[in-house]
């Protein structure tokens, strides 16, 4: 289980996360919605240990990300896909994917490459393993980013607006892959502005507003008139997002 | 033959001088490259106390004349620390440290040129700081640094000429000797200048080849 308890994060004098509680069971897909600046990315960055907490606790399968000794284990259990891909530009797609499995999981190179090629084939890039990131389109780069995370066989996949740098066609590509993963039982924490997509794939939806997690509901309840829509902030947010 | 005319042996003298200059250049460049890189790694790890000291030392070395450093080491150190130092030792120490300071500055900016986002990605996937340096930062930083480093080395070759003033018989010193003997400064200094030029060209050429090699794996750069 991935668990955030009473998480607090401040930058200078701004409180960015204010007592956030969230738990994600294996097999679940949980989407995080919220307006720009509400703290979604910060929450993801706290979970994968890129930001230090100012209060509360985050555990990934019982490993506390705030404890340097446990962070390595916690990180092995979660995989992150980034908004701007964050690929290593001097490495081919294949090398991008195999770096961590070889260095961190100590997989033999041949095995890591075999797995990487299988992943690339799965996302329709079977023949692009030797291309450098600059030689790939945005959508292809993000697919490599997804493969890179999956190659670590994470128990939890963290995705932070992974399609927002892509045009609609590439977005559809990438979302298609994520939908497959969700159906295959991959656990996901999914930060997104793609409301309709979140509705289709999520078991639960949580809403962040100014650093506070204001609702945490099963998907159907979130979109029902008596559930999430009864919260003015959410109704307002959803109607604005649908207009865009 | 008059005492002041050129003899075939002068060519041997000039080549010996060139050998001393190039030898010293190679030795101090190698030490300087290693030392400067180690300083940069110390900074990368932010080893408390040590990295600020390195930065300060580099600043000092970078912003004072090499000639003054040379005098300090050759005349000042023996007087103050009561150690004996030959001219070659003093020259090696001074030029190595001076090169190291500039290598450090280049290495630091090369490391900083690598995008934060990739480094974060590598950390999130569990790579240690050393593994990040080795696999993500290192290759990109060296491709970035090789141009400035070659320019630095070409310059450091010229700087070696300063060591003639403390009595090392390098190419410039040989030029001086020949000049005093033959009283033909125009010919002597033209020949000496051309020899430096040839050596510098050679370094630049080797550098360009290395640069192309290092960037070959980053075909992405050219796109
Ligand atoms: N490193 C930082 N230093 C200072 N402030 C920061 C830093 N990172 C984030 N913030 C602030 O924290 C707040 C939350 O940022 P965050 O990126 O988590 O929002 P978000 O919900 O992901 O927004 P978006 O939908 O635009 O991506 C913002 O006000 C932002 O300015
Ligand atoms: Mg964000």
């Amino acid at each position: 289980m991935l668990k955030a308890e009473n998480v607090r994060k401040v930058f200078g004098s701004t409180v960015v996360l204010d007592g956030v509680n969230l738990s994600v069971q294996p097999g679940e897909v949980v989407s995080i919605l919220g307006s720009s600046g509400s703290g979604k990315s910060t929450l993801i960055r706290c979970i994968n240990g890129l930001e230090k907490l100012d209060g509360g606790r985050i555990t990934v399968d019982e490993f506390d990300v705030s404890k340097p000794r446990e962070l390595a284990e916690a990180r092995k259990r979660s995989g992150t896909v980034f908004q701007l891909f964050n690929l290593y530009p001097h490495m081919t797609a294949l090398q991008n994917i195999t770096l961590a499995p070889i260095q961190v999981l100590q997989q033999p190179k041949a095995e890591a490459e075999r797995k990487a090629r299988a992943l690339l084939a799965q996302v329709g890039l079977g023949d692009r393993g030797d291309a450098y990131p600059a030689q790939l389109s945005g959508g292809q780069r993000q697919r490599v980013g997804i493969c890179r995370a999956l190659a670590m066989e994470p128990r939890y996949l963290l995705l932070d607006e992974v399609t927002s740098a892509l045009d609609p066609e590439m977005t559809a590509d990438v979302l298609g892959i994520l939908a497959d993963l969700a159906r295959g039982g991959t656990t996901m924490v999914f930060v997104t502005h793609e409301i309709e997509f979140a509705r289709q794939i999520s078991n639960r939806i949580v809403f962040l507003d100014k650093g506070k997690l204001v609702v945490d509901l099963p998907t159907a309840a979130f979109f029902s008139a008596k559930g999430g829509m009864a919260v003015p902030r959410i109704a307002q947010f959803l109607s604005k997002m649908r207009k865009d | 033959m008059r005492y002041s005319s050129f003899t075939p042996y002068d060519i041997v003298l000039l080549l010996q001088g060139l050998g001393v200059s190039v030898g010293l250049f190679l030795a101090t460049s190698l030490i300087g490259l290693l030392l400067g890189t180690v300083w940069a790694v110390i900074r990368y790890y932010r080893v408390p106390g040590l990295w600020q000291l390195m930065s300060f030392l580099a600043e000092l070395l970078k912003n004072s004349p090499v000639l003054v450093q040379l005098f300090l080491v050759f005349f000042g150190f023996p007087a103050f620390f009561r150690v004996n130092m030959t001219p070659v030792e003093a020259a090696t120490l001074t030029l190595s440290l001076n090169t190291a300071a500039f290598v450090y500055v280049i290495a630091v900016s090369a490391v900083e040129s690598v995008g934060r986002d990739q480094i974060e990605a590598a950390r999130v996937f569990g790579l240690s700081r050393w593994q990040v340096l080795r696999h993500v930062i290192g290759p990109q930083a060296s491709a970035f640094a090789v141009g400035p480093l070659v320019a630095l080395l070409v310059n450091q070759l010229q700087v070696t000429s300063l060591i003639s003033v403390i009595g090392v018989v390098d190419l410039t010193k040989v030029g001086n000797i020949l000049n005093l003997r033959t009283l033909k400064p125009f010919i002597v200094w033209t020949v000496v200048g051309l020899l430096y030029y040839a050596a510098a060209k050679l370094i630049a050429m080797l550098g360009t080849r290395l640069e192309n090699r290092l960037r070959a794996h980053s075909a992405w750069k050219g796109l």
Side-chain angles (χ1 to χ4, degrees):
Chain A
M1 190 168 59
L2 192 160
K3 200 163 183 186
E5 296 165 88
N6 209 12
V7 168
R8 189 180 152 80
K9 175 73 197 172
V10 268
F11 286 116
S13 57
T14 2
V15 181
V16 176
L17 293 176
D18 189 3
V20 171
N21 289 296
L22 176 69
S23 62
V24 180
Q25 303 289 342
E28 266 190 314
V29 175
V30 176
S31 287
I32 303 179
L33 305 185
S35 18
S36 184
S38 56
K40 306 181 295 294
S41 297
T42 306
L43 180 58
I44 295 288
R45 291 172 61 83
C46 286
I47 297 173
N48 60 28
L50 287 175
E51 302 285 356
K52 279 206 179 83
L53 307 189
D54 293 303
R57 207 165 96 95
I58 292 179
T59 51
V60 182
D61 288 346
E62 306 301 320
F63 293 100
D64 189 331
V65 299
S66 302
K67 300 197 173 128
R69 292 254 171 96
E70 297 179 27
L71 177 61
E73 265 313 310
R75 277 179 164 165
K76 272 190 207 160
R77 279 147 206 274
S78 68
T80 306
V81 184
F82 298 86
Q83 178 172 2
L84 299 174
F85 330 130
N86 300 14
L87 297 177
Y88 318 120
H90 61 301
M91 293 184 185
T92 62
L94 201 69
Q95 290 167 336
N96 263 278
I97 299 170
T98 56
L99 178 66
I102 293 172
Q103 296 299 325
V104 180
L105 304 181
Q106 269 139 34
Q107 281 177 13
K109 188 160 178 253
E111 184 193 334
E113 286 185 351
R114 190 174 44 73
K115 286 184 177 164
R117 286 192 196 283
L119 284 169
L120 281 169
Q122 200 183 320
V123 300
L125 289 177
D127 55 343
R128 303 295 278 147
D130 296 322
Y132 287 100
Q135 299 167 320
L136 298 171
S137 74
Q140 292 174 330
R141 283 182 218 177
Q142 193 55 294
R143 283 185 265 166
V144 173
I146 293 170
C147 291
R148 180 174 64 172
L150 291 176
M152 294 299 283
E153 295 172 11
R155 306 243 298 156
Y156 308 92
L157 198 56
L158 311 175
L159 305 112
D160 187 4
E161 296 195 37
V162 296
T163 58
S164 60
L166 304 177
D167 69 28
E169 198 187 336
M170 296 192 217
T171 298
D173 268 9
V174 169
L175 292 183
I177 289 161
L178 297 181
D180 287 346
L181 289 174
R183 267 193 299 276
T186 306
T187 312
M188 292 195 232
V189 180
F190 189 57
V191 171
T192 189
H193 288 289
E194 302 281 342
I195 311 282
E196 275 315 309
F197 182 73
R199 183 178 195 162
Q200 287 162 30
I201 68 160
S202 311
N203 302 102
R204 263 163 56 217
I205 296 198
V206 302
F207 188 82
L208 266 180
D209 185 29
K210 298 194 188 100
K212 287 199 165 69
L213 203 152
V214 286
V215 287
D216 180 344
L217 288 170
T219 306
F222 183 86
F223 288 101
S224 75
K226 284 198 207 112
M229 295 297 272
V231 181
R233 257 317 267 125
I234 295 176
Q236 190 194 348
F237 173 77
L238 291 180
S239 73
K240 184 168 161 291
M241 292 305 294
R242 289 208 168 108
K243 253 186 275 155
D244 287 347
Chain B
M1 197 158 45
R2 283 170 44 211
Y3 170 71
S4 66
S5 57
F6 289 106
T7 71
Y9 182 67
D10 293 344
I11 296 176
V12 177
L13 266 186
L14 280 169
L15 290 181
Q16 272 174 355
L18 182 65
V20 169
S21 292
V22 169
L24 215 86
F25 162 76
L26 288 177
T28 58
S29 296
L30 195 71
I31 301 171
L33 279 169
L34 285 176
L35 204 59
T37 309
V38 170
W39 290 3
V41 171
I42 288 173
R43 183 197 160 96
Y44 170 77
Y45 279 102
R46 301 276 146 147
V47 180
L50 209 51
W51 81 264
Q52 289 97 335
L53 187 72
M54 304 281 89
S55 289
F56 179 63
L57 189 60
E59 278 292 305
L60 277 183
L61 288 166
K62 201 161 65 91
N63 293 310
S64 61
V66 183
L67 195 57
V68 172
Q69 294 167 19
L70 200 59
F71 286 162
L72 174 66
V73 171
F74 186 60
F75 299 114
F77 280 19
F80 194 76
F81 299 113
R82 314 227 157 277
V83 286
N84 281 321
M85 224 180 276
T86 65
V88 170
E89 283 165 359
T92 308
L93 182 63
T94 312
L95 293 180
S96 298
L97 283 176
N98 189 262
T99 305
F102 284 97
V103 169
Y104 168 77
V105 173
I106 292 171
V108 166
S109 68
V111 166
E112 278 165 5
S113 77
V114 178
R116 243 285 19 99
D117 54 353
Q118 309 162 36
I119 298 169
E120 285 190 341
R123 294 288 285 161
V124 159
F125 288 113
L127 273 78
S128 66
R129 290 204 67 170
W130 171 251
Q131 288 171 326
V132 171
L133 188 62
R134 166 94 180 62
H135 298 283
V136 179
I137 300 177
Q140 297 182 69
S142 24
F144 179 94
V146 67
L149 283 178
V150 169
L152 169 70
L153 293 187
V154 167
N155 186 58
Q156 293 303 84
L157 172 71
Q158 326 296 343
V159 169
T160 60
S161 67
L162 292 174
I163 62 181
S164 61
V165 302
I166 59 167
V168 179
V169 188
D170 71 335
L171 183 54
T172 302
K173 186 76 183 177
V174 170
N176 236 324
I177 294 166
L178 290 182
N179 181 38
L180 288 174
R181 203 194 74 211
T182 61
L183 301 174
K184 293 196 181 72
F186 185 76
I187 296 175
V188 168
W189 294 120
T190 302
V191 170
V192 168
L194 285 175
L195 285 173
Y196 274 115
Y197 171 80
K201 257 305 190 235
L202 188 68
I203 297 165
M205 231 173 63
L206 293 174
T208 311
R209 281 197 21 201
L210 177 67
E211 189 168 0
N212 290 340
R213 270 257 296 281
L214 278 178
R215 294 209 167 161
H217 76 285
S218 41
W220 51 275
K221 272 244 159 94
L223 289 171

